[in-house]
Amino acid sequence: MTENTQQQPATTPELPTQYAPAEVEGTLYERWVGRGYFEADAKSDKTPYTVVIPPPNVTGSLHMGHAFEHTLIDALTRRKRMQGYETLWQPGMDHAGIATQNVVERELAKEGKSRHDLGREAFVERVWQWKAESGGQIQGQMRRLGEGVAWSRDRFTMDEGLSRAVQTVFKKMYDEGLIYRAERIINWCPRCLTAISDIEVDYQDDDGELVSLKYGDGDETVVVATTRAETMLGDTAVAVHPDDERYAHLIGKRITLPLTDRTIPVVADTHVDPEFGTGAVKVTPAHDPNDFAIGQRHGLESIEVLDERGIITVHGPFEGLDRVAARSGIWAPRRAHGRIVAEKRPYTHSVGHCSRCRTTLEPRVSLQWWVKVEPLAKAAGDAVRDGKVAIHPADMTQRYYDWVDNMHDWCISRQLWWGHRIPIWHGPNGEMVAVGPDEQPPAGEGWEQDPDVLDTWFSSGLWPFSTLGWPEQTPDLEKFYSTDVLVTGYDLMFFWVARMMMFGLYTMDGEPPFRTVAFHGMVRDEFGKKMSKSAGNTVNPLDWMDTYGSDAVRFTLARGANPGTDVPIGEDWVQASRNFANKIWNATRFALMNGANVEGDLPPVEQQSAADRWILSRLNKTVAEVDAYYDDYQFAKLSDALYHFAWDEVFDWYVELSKTTYFAGGEQAKVSARVLGEVLDVTLRLLHPVTPFVTEALWTTLTGRESVVIADWPADSGFRDDAAEREIELVQRVVTEVRRFRSDQGLQPGQKVPARLGLTGTTLAPHEAAIRQLLRLQPEGDAFHATATLPVAGATVALDLSGAIDVPAERKRLAKDLAAAEKEKAQAEAKLGNDAFLAKAPDQVVDKIRTRLASAEADITRISAQLESLPSL
């Protein structure tokens, strides 16, 4: 094990009888921050280790997903800090354009105002005011969780420095032709009044309508189906597949468009699926992305029939109506004229919704700013293919390729007021000039800055290097870029990870923003269901922290974190983790009361007992195991390994095995006390990254040193003692088997029973006192009568149960249980032997009955053995 060099004070305080997280956590955290443990120095000669926080929204609060992700990052960075790295966990927050603007607009609405009443400049000032007063509450909650971030480096995506980075990247990309302006079809939110990125669309099944109606007349009739009647007003064609013989005579002809006096062409396009529906589709280029593409291929007119709020704009009886309200009005006259062929209501279909306000989105042709992603996406894909960046777990790699290899140009403009305003100035004669952070915009009459702001993901895509001072060549940038690992949810692969990859490789001379991407899953409720307010199954992690302590919440989350898979969590599991923290506390307190210490070197191996050598061997194997799991981002496995080592091997076995030694006193007690101190020292350091608070309180008390935060991470000394491990495994077998027998006989755990141990000639002989202590076995005495003899692990344990149990009553109870098991077996066998039943019963019912049969047979075997082991009457 590594030796810690922190100074040890002369006296060591005693532990309180009970662990009270609320009395410990806040004080410890502020002490850590005050002593600068989490800060990082660019001038240090230590090897850097850098992780950037996925910046939470300034509007947000700490939800369970944050707590989960932040726990994993904190565990990684705490371990690396203990390993001697110059560790930077970079904190910060995202300005969250749409979400923040919506929050402030709702506040204004309470005053009877809109942003337009204030004007752009005053509204933006109001948002900054809101941020100063109400935003950022998540930072205090992060402290509650114990996150070891470098608070002095806290950044915000609208900071002056980060804004400078945004302007620099935009101008560079614009000047190189990677940013352009074009009219394309986009997702439009009629509530937020802005374009929405494809990956910010939430699709859900809505109940709507599917109506089939006739276009054209006579032999030139085509039946099409639609769920959006209002868009018929903007139809400019009907499309069929070129090989569909049913419509070959219509291709190139014009047919009548219902509702209007217009005629529209029938065009042939391979996009149409002749097997779906009637094989004919209406084409509305201004209000459907697929139709827009068809319109581009065939040179069709694009007629916009809905305004930015989803209101009908074309002249006629529907002008001024909301898009949904217009539908029923559109169908009535068509039905009267016999145009309706079929109607289906409700018709469940997938509909895109704004991820921020839940409003149904409207595809709409709009003039927007775009990033040409093809060369950037190729570089992002090649970085993984070439091994510059590793994706973990590996099976996520193909999903990454599927996205970056097929990425469409990115719409980066948003029609908002809060955000990074696009640094383009438009001149009076159509000129466009990109202005960098050190440049003056064009002056003179008619020059105006573009009114749009950038997509939030544009600025957050620069996060790994903008937070380190880029575009300036700062010492921080030189020291801490590229970052080592990005820990994030697989749902952000497209939103954020791909963006950062593209920007980092493009801006930083081919150096990726991180060397590893470690994807985790989503936190779900204990039944595996997605947490949502509508389902009523969301949990505020602060509530659980208040009740059970932050360590309990952290350990529960880490123990469920298998790479790339979702994490179910329930309150029972947090209670169990709280119990684990209490177990650590009580066991350490017991150890200290019995002289456990870390003074000096470990006693020589020849002075150690078999139990001492066993636990030290197991300790070193656990260190190696935990290190391997950390390096593979296997948080669940490392947490589980630590749980079972600490609870099962250290507390339930080693401490118990050593009690007889402590009680006997003498030199061997001193040796075991030093070994126990070593084991606790290392175990607490191993546990610290996941459970920082309880381990800090215990480790500083045990060692008398300054803080486990800056302690050395344990190293595997290489010590192994397989013989001692085999010896103690035999002891465990004896104790486990006899405990099982005692339980089967109905004995209480603390009930003492006379026993004769036949251990002579086995490696168990030196452990007789410990075995008797663990099993509550008294000396045999003069009146000893063996009523049961158990052969186990090459030894025998003879028990005198004559005074311990009421044999007649026990026989009667067991006979009743045996009869019930035999009846259950007979019923199950009867059903499984009935061919008529087997032919009709579902497979799951048959499987359940087979399980009942197997359980009944096992019960019969167990109860019969118990009856045979009872003394004769």
Side-chain angles (χ1 to χ4, degrees), residues 213-217 220-224 238 240 247 250 255 266 278 280-281:
L213 71 160
K214 293 186 291 185
Y215 282 37
D217 297 293
E220 298 180 351
T221 297
V222 177
V223 175
V224 301
V238 169
V240 297
Y247 303 114
L250 291 178
I255 59 177
V266 177
T278 64
V281 296

Side-chain angles (χ1 to χ4, degrees), residues 109 220 223 240 330 393 407 578 632 790 852:
E220 298 180 351
V223 175
V240 297
I330 288 173
M407 193 182 296
R578 185 271 314 276
D632 198 35
L790 306 177
R852 285 170 52 191

Side-chain angles (χ1 to χ4, degrees), residues 496-512:
W496 193 41
V497 177
R499 311 288 193 225
M500 286 189 289
M501 286 285 282
M502 292 191 300
F503 279 135
L505 293 163
Y506 170 74
T507 304
M508 302 301 292
D509 298 324
E511 283 296 315

Side-chain angles (χ1 to χ4, degrees), residues 50-189:
T50 314
V51 182
V52 293
I53 197 170
N57 290 350
V58 69
T59 59
S61 60
L62 191 74
H63 58 64
M64 197 59 76
H66 286 131
F68 172 55
E69 183 171 84
H70 293 192
T71 292
L72 305 186
I73 301 174
D74 197 43
L76 289 175
T77 52
R78 283 180 181 269
R79 172 176 176 255
K80 286 297 183 180
R81 189 177 293 110
M82 296 172 74
Q83 287 181 317
Y85 289 80
E86 192 62 34
T87 303
L88 169 61
W89 183 9
Q90 172 65 52
M93 304 195 76
D94 195 295
H95 66 279
I98 295 177
T100 305
Q101 181 157 318
N102 283 346
V103 167
V104 179
E105 285 195 83
R106 285 196 294 270
E107 293 296 315
L108 285 174
K110 296 175 183 177
E111 303 170 15
K113 298 178 182 178
S114 73
R115 61 180 163 121
H116 300 285
D117 294 324
L118 272 66
R120 182 168 193 147
E121 185 175 342
F123 176 77
V124 171
E125 180 59 35
R126 178 69 176 262
V127 179
W128 278 108
Q129 179 184 342
W130 174 87
K131 176 188 179 293
E133 295 174 356
S134 306
Q137 62 174 314
I138 198 171
Q139 294 177 343
Q141 297 164 343
M142 288 167 62
R143 291 173 178 263
R144 282 287 312 279
L145 193 63
E147 299 181 30
V149 299
W151 285 114
S152 68
R153 296 169 173 269
D154 195 26
R155 304 305 298 268
F156 181 55
T157 50
M158 291 282 284
D159 284 350
E160 181 180 351
L162 274 65
S163 296
R164 181 179 178 84
V166 167
Q167 294 172 37
T168 302
V169 168
F170 186 98
K171 178 174 172 57
K172 175 178 169 62
M173 296 180 75
Y174 177 80
D175 290 346
E176 294 178 4
L178 291 173
I179 289 180
Y180 64 94
R181 198 182 192 209
E183 193 170 57
R184 300 266 186 89
I185 195 149
I186 48 90
N187 302 295
W188 181 266
C189 178

Side-chain angles (χ1 to χ4, degrees), residues 157-403:
T157 50
M158 291 282 284
D159 284 350
E160 181 180 351
L162 274 65
S163 296
R164 181 179 178 84
V166 167
Q167 294 172 37
T168 302
V169 168
F170 186 98
K171 178 174 172 57
K172 175 178 169 62
M173 296 180 75
Y174 177 80
D175 290 346
E176 294 178 4
L178 291 173
I179 289 180
Y180 64 94
R181 198 182 192 209
E183 193 170 57
R184 300 266 186 89
I185 195 149
I186 48 90
N187 302 295
W188 181 266
C189 178
R191 158 61 183 80
C192 299
L193 300 180
T194 182
I196 299 292
S197 170
D198 288 345
I199 54 177
E200 293 176 295
V201 179
D202 286 345
Y203 288 94
Q204 65 184 52
D205 289 338
D206 287 356
D207 285 339
E209 59 185 11
L210 180 67
V211 179
S212 301
L213 71 160
K214 293 186 291 185
Y215 282 37
D217 297 293
D219 293 336
E220 298 180 351
T221 297
V222 177
V223 175
V224 301
T226 183
T227 59
R228 302 171 66 224
E230 67 279 8
T231 63
M232 289 174 55
L233 300 168
D235 288 356
T236 56
V238 169
V240 297
H241 194 277
D243 298 331
D244 194 335
E245 296 181 357
R246 294 173 295 176
Y247 303 114
H249 66 290
L250 291 178
I251 296 173
K253 293 185 178 181
R254 300 185 71 85
I255 59 177
T256 303
L257 172 65
L259 294 175
T260 73
D261 56 3
R262 292 191 291 116
T263 61
I264 56 177
V266 177
V267 299
D269 197 284
T270 54
H271 170 75
V272 179
D273 180 2
E275 302 298 325
F276 184 77
T278 64
V281 296
K282 59 192 285 298
V283 181
T284 319
H287 294 285
D288 182 275
N290 294 321
D291 293 2
F292 180 82
I294 293 175
Q296 293 278 299
R297 288 193 289 270
H298 296 276
L300 300 176
E301 182 183 6
S302 184
I303 302 174
E304 190 171 345
V305 298
L306 298 172
D307 71 7
E308 62 182 8
R309 297 183 182 276
I311 304 300
I312 304 292
T313 58
V314 293
H315 296 295
F318 309 110
E319 183 178 7
L321 291 179
D322 175 78
R323 53 185 171 157
V324 177
R327 288 176 190 168
S328 58
I330 288 173
W331 293 135
R334 297 314 97 207
R335 191 176 294 108
H337 288 86
R339 291 278 180 180
I340 303 297
V341 175
E343 300 178 67
K344 184 176 182 180
R345 295 185 183 88
Y347 175 70
T348 302
H349 60 133
S350 182
V351 178
H353 294 258
C354 175
S355 63
R356 300 298 182 187
C357 70
R358 316 310 305 166
T359 301
T360 300
L361 296 173
E362 192 64 48
R364 186 168 184 254
V365 171
S366 181
L367 185 62
Q368 302 286 344
W369 288 95
W370 304 81
V371 169
K372 183 180 180 181
V373 301
E374 183 179 2
L376 305 174
K378 182 180 184 304
D382 290 345
V384 176
R385 290 187 173 95
D386 297 343
K388 285 186 175 181
V389 178
I391 290 179
H392 186 87
D395 58 13
M396 289 283 181
T397 306
Q398 188 56 51
R399 291 179 62 179
Y400 176 80
Y401 291 149
D402 290 343
W403 177 254

